[in-house]
Amino acid sequence: KKSQKMSQQQPNAEESVFNRRFVAIGDVVLLKQRHGNTKTVRVTSADGTVQTVGGLLKFSDLIGRRYGSRLVTKRGFVRLLPLVPELWARALPHRTQILYPPDTCLIVAQLDLRPGRIVLEAGTGSAAFTHCLARTVMPTGRVLTFDFHAERAATAQRELTEHSLQRWAVCEHRDVCQLGFPAGSNADAVFLDLPQPWLTVPSLPACLRPGARFGSFSPCVQQAERTAAALRECRRFTDLIGMECHQRRYSLQPRSLPSADLGPEDDGNDAASAPAPEDDKEAPGKSTAPVSKEASSLPLRVAATEPAYEQPCHSGFLLFATFYGPAE
């Protein structure tokens, strides 16, 4: 058992950053604690420790354990979760507002992203969506993301390096609203999460390949309208479409419905009151016993669905388009 655990101390090079099965030295582990709290810890060495709500944990107890397993502590337990974009979005320190899976899944699909794509992103912020983009384009693609805030850009690049994503995602300090995107990127897609995304449109033809996809996220519809107007004015984009992602929760609860008392079944029709044929009387397995009034009045148990009374479902407005090539 000890030799098996020691063999897992180093990460397997064949495993993806987001697809590791066992905790190894250098991994970033999400510790799911009581009351929904999640603590992020980097396993630096076998001699390290980390303080949790349930008590002190040794890194030597984490190394070699399978992701998803439960580790008992002095005052409860913690769950070892892997670093995946969906879980990281819930645990990261928010420097700006981030995009959550209902929006990110729709964006990735609309941008037609897959392994090997080159993606430009403006508005890195907390780099939550950058992790999602990097996972989508791995192992041969690349994400180049920009943020106008120097400190945020440096923090995002440091996190990408700590998470072993520097091969697929790079964050640079650049104000693309003023300077535009770097020319010659030949990107397959571009995504904007900016207060004024329409300012970047003039620089896009020089950095996108024909057929590339454009996407932007705006909290207000007026921002989306101005961006759409800039794309039309550029005359290099087509297939403009705006979307609003809604998420509505339904609860499934058992319900009791009262049985309807319809009274006697005699409607004055002699055929209805006629005795049943002999064949029906002698049919095996057929019950001819009358249903008692008490049984017919019992409530009917059903499973009912109902929407939640409070459901903040609006996140923002998404705008997508297709770049069909530079001007000839």
Side-chain angles (χ1 to χ4, degrees), residues 57-302:
L57 285 181
K58 297 180 180 179
F59 286 169
S60 57
D61 295 332
L62 304 180
I63 297 174
R65 288 187 176 269
R66 183 181 292 272
Y67 280 110
S69 61
R70 190 174 72 168
L71 183 61
V72 179
T73 62
K74 292 183 178 180
R75 296 186 296 274
F77 66 91
V78 296
R79 185 79 64 178
L80 309 182
L81 300 179
L83 178 71
V84 295
E86 292 78 11
L87 297 178
W88 174 243
R90 297 176 176 270
L92 60 81
H94 286 204
R95 298 179 288 273
T96 59
Q97 181 64 30
I98 68 172
L99 297 175
Y100 289 96
D103 288 310
T104 59
C105 295
L106 179 61
I107 295 169
V108 169
Q110 287 294 324
L111 294 183
D112 192 24
L113 299 183
R114 55 181 180 267
R117 294 291 198 183
I118 299 176
V119 185
L120 300 178
E121 181 191 17
T124 309
S126 301
F129 188 48
T130 308
H131 284 68
C132 182
L133 293 175
R135 181 183 61 178
T136 306
V137 302
M138 292 169 64
T140 56
R142 189 172 178 82
V143 178
L144 186 58
T145 180
F146 303 95
D147 199 288
F148 80 97
H149 195 278
E151 185 177 353
R152 282 206 300 261
T155 303
Q157 182 58 49
R158 183 172 62 252
E159 288 179 348
L160 293 172
T161 303
E162 291 176 354
H163 300 167
S164 302
L165 295 175
Q166 66 275 11
R167 290 174 51 192
W168 302 280
V170 176
C171 182
E172 295 183 3
H173 171 224
R174 184 184 180 93
D175 188 355
V176 295
C177 291
Q178 299 294 330
L179 304 176
F181 285 98
S185 301
N186 198 30
D188 300 285
V190 59
F191 182 75
L192 311 176
D193 188 0
L194 302 169
Q196 297 175 310
W198 56 88
L199 297 179
T200 67
V201 172
S203 66
L204 293 180
C207 60
L208 297 178
R209 67 166 184 82
R213 291 287 289 167
F214 167 91
S216 70
F217 175 89
S218 301
C220 300
V221 68
Q222 292 82 0
Q223 296 169 299
E225 290 174 348
R226 293 194 62 175
T227 306
L231 292 173
R232 294 190 181 96
E233 185 179 353
C234 183
R235 300 182 182 276
R236 297 288 96 195
F237 292 87
T238 184
D239 300 332
L240 270 70
I241 182 173
M243 295 184 179
E244 186 180 15
C245 187
H246 287 273
Q247 186 178 19
R248 192 174 190 183
R249 294 183 179 181
Y250 281 82
S251 60
L252 181 63
Q253 300 291 339
R255 292 287 185 267
S256 297
L257 299 180
S259 299
D261 186 7
L262 303 179
E265 298 182 357
D266 186 8
D267 57 356
N269 190 350
D270 295 339
S273 60
E278 293 295 331
D279 295 343
D280 292 346
K281 291 182 179 180
E282 297 178 359
K286 184 174 181 179
S287 175
T288 58
V291 180
S292 64
K293 184 176 181 180
E294 291 78 5
S296 61
S297 62
L298 292 177
L300 180 63
R301 298 288 292 178
V302 298

Side-chain angles (χ1 to χ4, degrees), residues 1-15 20-25 27 46 60 62-66:
K1 183 178 180 180
K2 183 177 180 180
S3 60
Q4 181 182 3
K5 186 174 182 179
M6 294 297 293
S7 64
Q8 298 294 339
Q9 287 188 0
Q10 298 298 329
N12 189 352
E14 298 180 356
E15 291 181 330
R20 290 176 179 169
R21 297 173 295 169
F22 299 94
V23 179
I25 294 177
D27 284 3
S60 57
L62 304 180
I63 297 174
R65 288 187 176 269
R66 183 181 292 272

